[in-house]
Amino acid sequence: MNPSPIGIFDSGLGGLSVWKEVKKICPSESLIYYADSGNCPYGNRPAEEIIRLSAAITEFLLDKGCKLIVVACNTATSAAIQYLRAHFEVPFVGIEPALKPAATLTRTGHIGVLATRGTFAGEHYRRTREKFASDIAVHIQVGEGLVELVENHQTDTPEAEKLVRQYLEPMLEAKVDQIVLGCTHYPFLLPVMQKIAGERANILNPAPAVAQQVKRLLEKHKIAAPENSEAVYTFFSSGERAQLMEMVGRI
Ligand code: DGL
């Protein structure tokens, strides 16, 4: 048993989609969330820079006594998780596009993946695709501009709908019936995505599976908080604290 907090970080507010699921299935765990909104987006940054930023945040979270760290960012997982695991002793949970469930669920043999340029460029994505989706058609789309919409609380604007439509329609026309959200910011655009996709496609958010993995690792390492502990939720941002707290208030 270990009452220390779990650290969760992202390039910005997107990882709150993961935070919310961890909070739901690990209600006794205290959570420290770090939004690197001051450096957001990570998507087009070189891998070395993302490694440097992720290592600095990890050190910050370890200084706060975190017992496990969730890299709640596909782009940072892709660029930095190997480095983090090699340089820090604490267990890490990462996040990657949910190609496996999409490949299992598809009836048309076409799946869509929406992610950042950094995630698509990474070795991690290439290996996952080869392993789970080598025999199906994968339609990829860089979600340029979507992270900024979420960071600026513009998810229910006509601009958001226009951009999401521009990205999803070509996939839907290509008979995609599963759309994988390969960036933790994108679940905040789910209402507009569902409106556009309607019955044509199922949209896959990997955040609940990440939370399950957190629970499994807590049990495996015997570091879960005692049952019925009073969880404390703490938030840090390298950007505007008000922007972060507004989003926390919304979810
Ligand atoms: N939430 C991050 C991810 O999952 C966004 C990346 C970015 O900042 O561009 O990839």
Side-chain angles (χ1 to χ4, degrees), residues 10-12 14-15 40-44 72-76 95 116 119 147 182-185:
D10 177 40
S11 64
C40 189
Y42 279 10
N44 292 330
C73 175
N74 293 256
T75 314
I95 185 164
T116 66
T119 295
V147 166
C183 168
T184 53
H185 280 74

mmCIF file of all heavy atoms in Angstrom, residues 10-12 14-15 40-44 72-76 95 116 119 147 182-185, ligand 1:
data_model
loop_
_atom_site.group_PDB
_atom_site.id
_atom_site.type_symbol
_atom_site.label_atom_id
_atom_site.label_comp_id
_atom_site.label_asym_id
_atom_site.label_seq_id
_atom_site.Cartn_x
_atom_site.Cartn_y
_atom_site.Cartn_z
ATOM 1 N N ASP A 10 0.681 15.979 -19.752
ATOM 2 C CA ASP A 10 0.399 16.106 -21.190
ATOM 3 C C ASP A 10 1.016 17.419 -21.655
ATOM 4 O O ASP A 10 1.402 18.267 -20.845
ATOM 5 C CB ASP A 10 -1.128 16.119 -21.412
ATOM 6 C CG ASP A 10 -1.497 16.317 -22.887
ATOM 7 O OD1 ASP A 10 -0.826 15.728 -23.755
ATOM 8 O OD2 ASP A 10 -2.446 17.073 -23.168
ATOM 9 N N SER A 11 1.048 17.597 -22.975
ATOM 10 C CA SER A 11 1.520 18.868 -23.526
ATOM 11 C C SER A 11 0.573 20.007 -23.141
ATOM 12 O O SER A 11 0.923 21.165 -23.312
ATOM 13 C CB SER A 11 1.583 18.775 -25.044
ATOM 14 O OG SER A 11 0.275 18.579 -25.553
ATOM 15 N N GLY A 12 -0.599 19.667 -22.638
ATOM 16 C CA GLY A 12 -1.560 20.718 -22.280
ATOM 17 C C GLY A 12 -2.747 20.125 -21.561
ATOM 18 O O GLY A 12 -2.592 19.304 -20.653
ATOM 19 N N GLY A 14 -5.191 18.230 -22.869
ATOM 20 C CA GLY A 14 -5.740 16.992 -23.428
ATOM 21 C C GLY A 14 -5.696 15.820 -22.461
ATOM 22 O O GLY A 14 -6.642 15.031 -22.383
ATOM 23 N N GLY A 15 -4.611 15.715 -21.692
ATOM 24 C CA GLY A 15 -4.466 14.590 -20.781
ATOM 25 C C GLY A 15 -5.540 14.553 -19.702
ATOM 26 O O GLY A 15 -5.689 13.541 -19.007
ATOM 27 N N CYS A 40 2.829 23.983 -25.428
ATOM 28 C CA CYS A 40 1.888 23.279 -26.304
ATOM 29 C C CYS A 40 1.737 24.036 -27.631
ATOM 30 O O CYS A 40 1.716 25.266 -27.616
ATOM 31 C CB CYS A 40 0.530 23.199 -25.600
ATOM 32 S SG CYS A 40 -0.643 22.145 -26.453
ATOM 33 N N PRO A 41 1.618 23.369 -28.786
ATOM 34 C CA PRO A 41 1.578 21.921 -28.969
ATOM 35 C C PRO A 41 2.960 21.287 -29.100
ATOM 36 O O PRO A 41 3.912 21.944 -29.483
ATOM 37 C CB PRO A 41 0.790 21.779 -30.278
ATOM 38 C CG PRO A 41 1.063 23.030 -31.049
ATOM 39 C CD PRO A 41 1.274 24.108 -30.024
ATOM 40 N N TYR A 42 3.003 19.975 -28.774
ATOM 41 C CA TYR A 42 4.224 19.190 -28.942
ATOM 42 C C TYR A 42 4.308 18.618 -30.364
ATOM 43 O O TYR A 42 5.391 18.227 -30.811
ATOM 44 C CB TYR A 42 4.225 17.980 -27.988
ATOM 45 C CG TYR A 42 4.641 18.221 -26.557
ATOM 46 C CD1 TYR A 42 4.814 19.499 -26.037
ATOM 47 C CD2 TYR A 42 4.875 17.144 -25.703
ATOM 48 C CE1 TYR A 42 5.187 19.685 -24.704
ATOM 49 C CE2 TYR A 42 5.258 17.321 -24.385
ATOM 50 C CZ TYR A 42 5.405 18.591 -23.882
ATOM 51 O OH TYR A 42 5.783 18.763 -22.574
ATOM 52 N N GLY A 43 3.145 18.502 -31.003
ATOM 53 C CA GLY A 43 2.982 17.714 -32.234
ATOM 54 C C GLY A 43 4.020 17.915 -33.324
ATOM 55 O O GLY A 43 4.402 16.956 -33.980
ATOM 56 N N ASN A 44 4.502 19.144 -33.531
ATOM 57 C CA ASN A 44 5.469 19.373 -34.609
ATOM 58 C C ASN A 44 6.887 19.594 -34.084
ATOM 59 O O ASN A 44 7.774 20.014 -34.826
ATOM 60 C CB ASN A 44 5.041 20.577 -35.454
ATOM 61 C CG ASN A 44 3.762 20.280 -36.228
ATOM 62 O OD1 ASN A 44 3.494 19.128 -36.586
ATOM 63 N ND2 ASN A 44 2.944 21.291 -36.470
ATOM 64 N N ALA A 72 0.202 11.083 -20.462
ATOM 65 C CA ALA A 72 -1.145 11.147 -21.050
ATOM 66 C C ALA A 72 -1.125 11.928 -22.360
ATOM 67 O O ALA A 72 -1.958 12.811 -22.598
ATOM 68 C CB ALA A 72 -2.123 11.768 -20.053
ATOM 69 N N CYS A 73 -0.152 11.596 -23.181
ATOM 70 C CA CYS A 73 0.071 12.316 -24.436
ATOM 71 C C CYS A 73 0.663 11.308 -25.423
ATOM 72 O O CYS A 73 1.718 10.722 -25.148
ATOM 73 C CB CYS A 73 1.061 13.450 -24.179
ATOM 74 S SG CYS A 73 1.558 14.347 -25.657
ATOM 75 N N ASN A 74 -0.019 11.106 -26.541
ATOM 76 C CA ASN A 74 0.472 10.150 -27.546
ATOM 77 C C ASN A 74 1.818 10.596 -28.098
ATOM 78 O O ASN A 74 2.723 9.785 -28.319
ATOM 79 C CB ASN A 74 -0.513 10.052 -28.714
ATOM 80 C CG ASN A 74 -1.832 9.426 -28.328
ATOM 81 O OD1 ASN A 74 -2.097 8.278 -28.627
ATOM 82 N ND2 ASN A 74 -2.677 10.178 -27.655
ATOM 83 N N THR A 75 1.952 11.903 -28.317
ATOM 84 C CA THR A 75 3.160 12.439 -28.938
ATOM 85 C C THR A 75 4.358 12.252 -28.007
ATOM 86 O O THR A 75 5.435 11.827 -28.443
ATOM 87 C CB THR A 75 2.956 13.936 -29.261
ATOM 88 O OG1 THR A 75 1.684 14.097 -29.883
ATOM 89 C CG2 THR A 75 4.042 14.461 -30.153
ATOM 90 N N ALA A 76 4.167 12.530 -26.713
ATOM 91 C CA ALA A 76 5.259 12.368 -25.748
ATOM 92 C C ALA A 76 5.558 10.893 -25.520
ATOM 93 O O ALA A 76 6.724 10.507 -25.351
ATOM 94 C CB ALA A 76 4.911 13.058 -24.434
ATOM 95 N N ILE A 95 0.449 6.136 -23.680
ATOM 96 C CA ILE A 95 -0.785 6.032 -24.465
ATOM 97 C C ILE A 95 -0.421 6.019 -25.955
ATOM 98 O O ILE A 95 0.465 6.763 -26.376
ATOM 99 C CB ILE A 95 -1.772 7.178 -24.119
ATOM 100 C CG1 ILE A 95 -3.104 6.998 -24.845
ATOM 101 C CG2 ILE A 95 -1.189 8.560 -24.407
ATOM 102 C CD1 ILE A 95 -4.232 7.844 -24.271
ATOM 103 N N THR A 116 -1.234 13.468 -34.137
ATOM 104 C CA THR A 116 -0.320 14.558 -34.486
ATOM 105 C C THR A 116 0.766 14.029 -35.428
ATOM 106 O O THR A 116 1.003 12.817 -35.512
ATOM 107 C CB THR A 116 0.372 15.129 -33.226
ATOM 108 O OG1 THR A 116 1.219 14.122 -32.681
ATOM 109 C CG2 THR A 116 -0.642 15.576 -32.185
ATOM 110 N N THR A 119 3.289 11.852 -33.594
ATOM 111 C CA THR A 119 2.860 10.478 -33.302
ATOM 112 C C THR A 119 3.001 9.608 -34.544
ATOM 113 O O THR A 119 3.533 8.498 -34.485
ATOM 114 C CB THR A 119 1.406 10.473 -32.790
ATOM 115 O OG1 THR A 119 1.384 11.168 -31.544
ATOM 116 C CG2 THR A 119 0.860 9.070 -32.591
ATOM 117 N N VAL A 147 -5.603 20.629 -31.546
ATOM 118 C CA VAL A 147 -5.090 20.815 -30.179
ATOM 119 C C VAL A 147 -5.333 22.262 -29.728
ATOM 120 O O VAL A 147 -5.791 22.526 -28.606
ATOM 121 C CB VAL A 147 -3.583 20.449 -30.122
ATOM 122 C CG1 VAL A 147 -2.929 20.945 -28.844
ATOM 123 C CG2 VAL A 147 -3.399 18.937 -30.254
ATOM 124 N N GLY A 182 -5.990 9.489 -31.809
ATOM 125 C CA GLY A 182 -4.596 9.272 -31.436
ATOM 126 C C GLY A 182 -3.961 10.475 -30.771
ATOM 127 O O GLY A 182 -2.745 10.665 -30.854
ATOM 128 N N CYS A 183 -4.762 11.270 -30.104
ATOM 129 C CA CYS A 183 -4.251 12.435 -29.358
ATOM 130 C C CYS A 183 -5.227 12.668 -28.225
ATOM 131 O O CYS A 183 -6.448 12.654 -28.440
ATOM 132 C CB CYS A 183 -4.182 13.652 -30.285
ATOM 133 S SG CYS A 183 -3.904 15.207 -29.407
ATOM 134 N N THR A 184 -4.694 12.882 -27.017
ATOM 135 C CA THR A 184 -5.585 12.982 -25.853
ATOM 136 C C THR A 184 -6.407 14.268 -25.834
ATOM 137 O O THR A 184 -7.350 14.379 -25.049
ATOM 138 C CB THR A 184 -4.776 12.849 -24.541
ATOM 139 O OG1 THR A 184 -3.691 13.793 -24.570
ATOM 140 C CG2 THR A 184 -4.218 11.448 -24.382
ATOM 141 N N HIS A 185 -6.072 15.213 -26.685
ATOM 142 C CA HIS A 185 -6.916 16.413 -26.780
ATOM 143 C C HIS A 185 -8.233 16.127 -27.518
ATOM 144 O O HIS A 185 -9.239 16.780 -27.286
ATOM 145 C CB HIS A 185 -6.196 17.533 -27.548
ATOM 146 C CG HIS A 185 -5.196 18.300 -26.725
ATOM 147 N ND1 HIS A 185 -3.976 17.775 -26.366
ATOM 148 C CD2 HIS A 185 -5.233 19.561 -26.213
ATOM 149 C CE1 HIS A 185 -3.299 18.680 -25.666
ATOM 150 N NE2 HIS A 185 -4.042 19.771 -25.556
HETATM 151 N N1 DGL B 1 -2.367 15.532 -26.216
HETATM 152 C C1 DGL B 1 -1.223 15.402 -27.075
HETATM 153 C C2 DGL B 1 -1.219 14.015 -27.708
HETATM 154 O O1 DGL B 1 -1.887 13.120 -27.201
HETATM 155 C C3 DGL B 1 -1.224 16.582 -27.997
HETATM 156 C C4 DGL B 1 0.018 16.757 -28.747
HETATM 157 C C5 DGL B 1 0.379 18.181 -29.054
HETATM 158 O O2 DGL B 1 0.593 18.948 -28.124
HETATM 159 O O3 DGL B 1 0.486 18.481 -30.253
HETATM 160 O O4 DGL B 1 -0.549 13.754 -28.684
#
